Amino acid sequence: MHVYGATASPFVQRTLMTARAKGHELEVRPPLGGSMQSPEFQAISPMGRIPLLETDDGDRICESSAIAAYLDD
């Protein structure tokens, strides 16, 4: 699993802290195409926002609260 975003974002930090609390270490990657507005990132993130979690199965979850709920399960 990895998360698209920037470590300066409080929402990405929330995701990373939740992941660590659940025993996961997430790699942080910059948005595809270099920005949240790039066509590449917009193609995988319908809301065009960070964080965006990509699971090992290829599923993608956006919004830090939804990612926290997923990691909780």
Side-chain angles (χ1 to χ4, degrees):
M1 281 190 295
H2 57 271
V3 65
Y4 291 103
T7 56
S9 165
F11 302 106
V12 172
Q13 284 299 318
R14 177 183 179 195
T15 299
L16 296 174
M17 287 188 295
T18 301
R20 283 186 200 113
K22 298 296 177 181
H24 302 286
E25 276 298 319
L26 296 177
E27 174 188 359
V28 179
R29 297 182 183 176
L32 296 177
S35 78
M36 294 184 302
Q37 292 78 31
S38 73
E40 297 89 349
F41 188 68
Q42 293 287 320
I44 65 166
S45 177
M47 298 177 75
R49 298 170 77 185
I50 58 171
L52 174 70
L53 177 75
E54 187 166 41
T55 69
D56 294 335
D57 296 333
D59 295 326
R60 296 184 183 107
I61 304 165
C62 58
E63 295 293 322
S64 59
S65 57
I67 294 169
Y70 172 80
L71 294 172
D72 226 11
D73 292 340

